[in-house]
Amino acid sequence: MAMTGMRGLSVFISDIRNCQNKEQERLRVDKELGNVRTRFKNEKGLTPYEKKKYVWKMLYIYMLGYDVDFGHMEAVSLISAPKYPEKQVGYIVTACLLNENHDFLRLAINTVRNDIIGRNETFQCLALTMVGNIGGREFAESLAPDVQKLLISSSCRPLVRKKAALCLLRLYRKNPDVVNVDGWADRMAQLLDERDLGVLTSSMSLLVALVSNNHEAYWSCLPKCVKILERLARNQDVPQEYTYYGIPSPWLQVKTMRALQYFPTIEDPNTRRSLFEVLQRILMGTDVVKNVNKNNASHAVLFEALALVMHLDAEKEMMSQCVALLGKFIAVREPNIRYLGLENMTRMLMVTDVQDIIKRHQAQIITSLKDPDISIRRRALDLLYGMCDVSNAKDIVEEILQYLSTADFAMREELSLKAAILAEKFAPDLSWYVDVILQLIDKAGDFVSDDIWFRVVQFVMNNDDLQPYAAAKAREYMDKPAIHETMVKVSAYILGEYSHLLARRPGCSPKEIFNIIHEKLPTVSTSTIPILLSTYAKILMHSQPPDPELQNLIWAIFNKYESCIDAEIQQRAVEYFALSRKGAALMDILAEMPKFPERQSALIKKAEDTEVDTADQSAIRLRAQQQSSNALVVTDQRPANGALPVNQLSIVKVPSMNSGTDNSSADQAHLQPNGTLTKVDPQPPADLLGDLLGPLAIEGPPEAAPKSEQNVISGLEGSPVVVDGTAIVPVGEQTSSVQPIGNIAERFHALCLKDSGVMYEDPYIQVGIKAEGRGHHGRIGIFWGNKNTSPLVSVQALMVPPAHLKMELSLVPETIPPRSKVQCPLEVVNLRPSRDVAVLDFSYKFGTNMVNVKLRLPAVLNKFLQPISVSAEEFFPQWRSLSGPPLKLQEVVRGVRPLPLQEMANLFNSLRVMVCPGLDPNPNNLVASTTFYSESTRAMLCLIRIETDPADRTQLRMTIASGDPTLTFELKDFIKEQLITIPMATRVPAPAPAGPPVVQPPSPAAANDPGAMLAGLL
């Protein structure tokens, strides 16, 4: 920048640098902006020197990060100055402060065109540089012919032509119609004969953009590109200034090979041979050296050459050479090179006849699966998945299962899905497949979709020889003291159908099978109880004539759930109780499920469809499809008229950049909670977030059109705060109110007990969460769903975390497209125990409605608990060692919601506190244990004792003990709050009086009440 003699600017910069803190700097900047604004108001008295100086100051202030919302016109006006110093300032500051859509730029189009067609090369460079940076569609229509003339002019210096090529590239991207294919293809080929490497590199950038849209018109450029590579590979006629660490113009080599990847093939044998000779030289001459800069340049050329070799489907010998080279790269210490090696080896899988060569590096790839860098681990997983076949499936799947226990939570869902697909696709025998899936559920149950265990059930039902083995394995897993709920589902289902096949084995009598399944009932959620009730009915059926004691136990359970508020559970309990009285007829009614009709697995079909999609893409197109944003946008493909799309049913919910639909066979079936498979027509999701949040999504009541004439902004916990409509929308626009659907407080309390569900909903948007955690680290996916056919704009979200949580929310897109969902990850670290709650403050605009909502985020204390079962030998020494305050606190709690002891135990289990039966000799007391995780406490064991009074269930005595005094106090008060302040809607009605069982469906309000949905759990 020409600042010579600008003493005022130099003094201002010195003042800024001498500021002691940010506040001083801001005050100095505000003072200077006020001075500049005052001087610009009296623009007639400004000399060109003064205007230039003040515009430089504006640019410097802008570079410091401050908003500069005035003076744009003065900057643009300097473009038309006759002298270079003022014109230079005008072009530079305009390019920095304005964007392509700014209205002031229209005023400068004629001046810019005059500079481009003028004789002054310096002015031409200034104009071309600015247009190349911020030129828009209007510039493209006005200036493209003049820029093309400069590019092909033989009288222009290379400096001007180089800038003209880059300028034309910008204009072509803004409006492809400005480049006439018929008249420009030959000119483009002539430009590739250019001797000046600067012009040639810029022209090659232009060619890449042209052939990416239409390669047919530029076949004449293909041999010219090969000649350029030959010229560079021979290292002749390359000036020293274009040689980077001994590599002749690596940028031009990369661009040229990228352009060649857009041509489908090379038919001329001489051209093809010449190109392969160049590629062979690149492959042979690249190695890892100590100099980082040389490594970066040489590997940029090498990996582009690998992509071109794959694209051209070279001879097997060259392919083998490529794989060997990549195998060397995945073993080096430099993580960037390992990443590139794994990524390109994965792309090599698309080429035929190299899979066997890649298998030689399987051990090194498995080692990469344990790399500290998660990006490398992901690439290694992709490669293992792609190279798997019958010969190595067992080893790869076992490695994935072993890795699951230590894998990051961010990878477990992907690992589980891929392990399930590989196990099914390449299983050497069905018993191994059953073993793999059960291990998968045991190690990563939270990340295993229901469709995976549905598939196991189908295999077991369709193979008679497999049924005793599967029942025995399910019996083994049920012996474990703590298993995942999905394991309870699949084991209970299989044992209900086939436990009679194990009757002669020790520990497998109907009563023993019933007892071991019934032990899990207090730990499961409402959605699993119907499966267990079906299992009890099946056990009763298989034990005909029934054992009276077993029959009475099961009947007592049916009686208990006859008054359950959940309609599904209530109906099953009533019907099974009635059916179980029919004696031998029960054998026909509850007979074994018939075999499933054979059809291709939805999981395997999904994998094959993905392989077909990727096989049709060249490496360059795969790279172009990569997404740079953290936000996950899934567009709802349902037509606006409500018609059902074909093949809507999705078998496995996998996060994907594609639409939420799945091309599975339309002849799909749902496995019902009792295990029955019913054929269903594809239906759209019940709500916008339902397919992402799974079955745990909590529905609100139907939308109600609010009738208030003022805008309503939802405050904390959804309490509406009425504000003046003119403060939200411009005067003259019609205002409308926006009120939440459902009770936000009840949604919050429900999500404190669940890991996923809807947190907020109104007529326009639905906000949900899906959480996962490991130790004191957590990850919450926040879903923003647009329910309408118009976009939501001005979307903003701010997380206000309490002092004990460290939170990082990824950027929320400003616009949510119509009928689409956006996922924004939120990383959470728990620093220390506390009951304070984070607040999510988000706003959006729909039409004339500006809505602002503040929600409590259910990242509460119990989310960092992990239930743990302790024996008497472990419990009592710990309990005695924590003697008295502040590590052991006791309090008599009054005003407790009266709960039967079993339901209180269920509540504790839902809070991730495991009730340990048999530790307290008093049957009216509960003893429980859990582990709390935070950065300050690490894994801290917590012990709890609840003493209840059978005569007065509204009070109890609670004793909490842990090794951290703050944790003891916070956990005590947290559990106290849960026992006292749980919404009334979660209460369970009293048992029905004796008499014939009557099904009592819940009221419509209760059916849509998220609190009521938890009744089965509590």
Side-chain angles (χ1 to χ4, degrees), residues 502-540:
L502 308 177
R504 296 183 180 180
R505 301 190 186 188
C508 294
S509 67
K511 186 174 181 181
E512 289 171 314
I513 294 291
F514 164 77
N515 287 333
I516 198 168
I517 294 175
H518 189 53
E519 285 178 3
K520 310 299 180 186
L521 181 63
T523 67
V524 300
S525 63
T526 309
S527 61
T528 305
I529 294 176
I531 298 179
L532 299 186
L533 295 181
S534 300
T535 301
Y536 298 157
K538 290 272 187 177
I539 291 174
L540 200 58

Side-chain angles (χ1 to χ4, degrees), residues 333-396:
R333 293 180 60 185
E334 172 59 38
N336 292 331
I337 297 175
R338 286 206 308 278
Y339 178 92
L340 292 170
L342 291 167
E343 182 183 41
N344 282 273
M345 196 174 278
T346 304
R347 292 177 180 173
M348 292 291 290
L349 291 170
M350 294 186 289
V351 181
T352 55
D353 302 328
V354 296
Q355 282 85 351
D356 291 337
I357 308 172
I358 293 177
K359 286 180 188 176
R360 299 172 190 169
H361 304 281
Q362 180 173 318
Q364 185 60 46
I365 297 167
I366 289 173
T367 303
S368 298
L369 195 62
K370 301 164 186 174
D371 194 275
D373 190 326
I374 189 172
S375 300
I376 294 177
R377 296 199 297 271
R378 286 187 182 278
R379 296 291 75 78
L381 175 61
D382 291 341
L383 181 52
L384 283 174
Y385 176 74
M387 63 187 281
C388 189
D389 58 21
V390 177
S391 64
N392 60 1
K394 203 165 184 179
D395 294 335
I396 289 178

Side-chain angles (χ1 to χ4, degrees), residues 184-212:
W184 188 251
D186 295 337
R187 298 290 179 87
M188 197 68 237
Q190 293 173 13
L191 285 173
L192 299 183
D193 292 327
E194 177 65 44
R195 301 304 298 173
D196 185 276
L197 286 190
V199 177
L200 189 56
T201 304
S202 300
S203 300
M204 190 60 68
S205 297
L206 177 61
L207 177 63
V208 170
L210 294 171
V211 296
S212 66

Side-chain angles (χ1 to χ4, degrees), residues 270-301:
N270 294 327
T271 303
R272 186 178 177 89
R273 184 177 60 255
S274 300
L275 178 58
F276 281 163
E277 287 175 1
V278 173
L279 295 175
Q280 183 77 21
R281 182 174 302 187
I282 294 173
L283 296 177
M284 295 294 293
T286 306
D287 206 349
V288 180
V289 296
K290 290 186 177 180
N291 189 294
V292 176
N293 292 328
K294 184 172 183 179
N295 265 341
N296 290 339
S298 61
H299 289 125
V301 175

Side-chain angles (χ1 to χ4, degrees), residues 593-614:
M593 289 289 293
K595 296 187 185 309
F596 286 86
E598 291 295 336
R599 61 165 66 91
Q600 184 184 19
S601 165
L603 297 180
I604 292 181
K605 189 174 190 308
K606 179 182 286 292
E608 290 175 351
D609 290 344
T610 304
E611 290 169 6
V612 170
D613 290 342
T614 53

Side-chain angles (χ1 to χ4, degrees), residues 109 131 135-148 167-168 170-179:
I109 289 180
V131 176
R137 198 172 183 87
E138 291 187 11
F139 276 88
E141 294 168 355
S142 304
L143 304 179
D146 300 315
V147 176
Q148 287 174 303
C167 181
L168 185 59
R170 167 81 181 196
L171 300 181
Y172 175 74
R173 286 172 174 167
K174 293 301 171 183
N175 185 4
D177 297 335
V178 300
V179 176

Side-chain angles (χ1 to χ4, degrees), residues 743-754:
N743 188 310
I744 298 178
E746 290 184 3
R747 291 184 188 272
F748 170 77
H749 286 296
L751 289 173
C752 288
L753 306 177
K754 299 281 189 179

Side-chain angles (χ1 to χ4, degrees), residues 844-865:
Y844 69 92
K845 185 176 181 181
F846 182 85
T848 60
N849 293 301
M850 189 70 192
V851 184
N852 178 244
V853 182
K854 294 179 176 64
L855 298 172
R856 287 190 295 174
L857 193 73
V860 289
L861 186 141
N862 68 302
K863 298 297 183 180
F864 301 100
L865 297 178

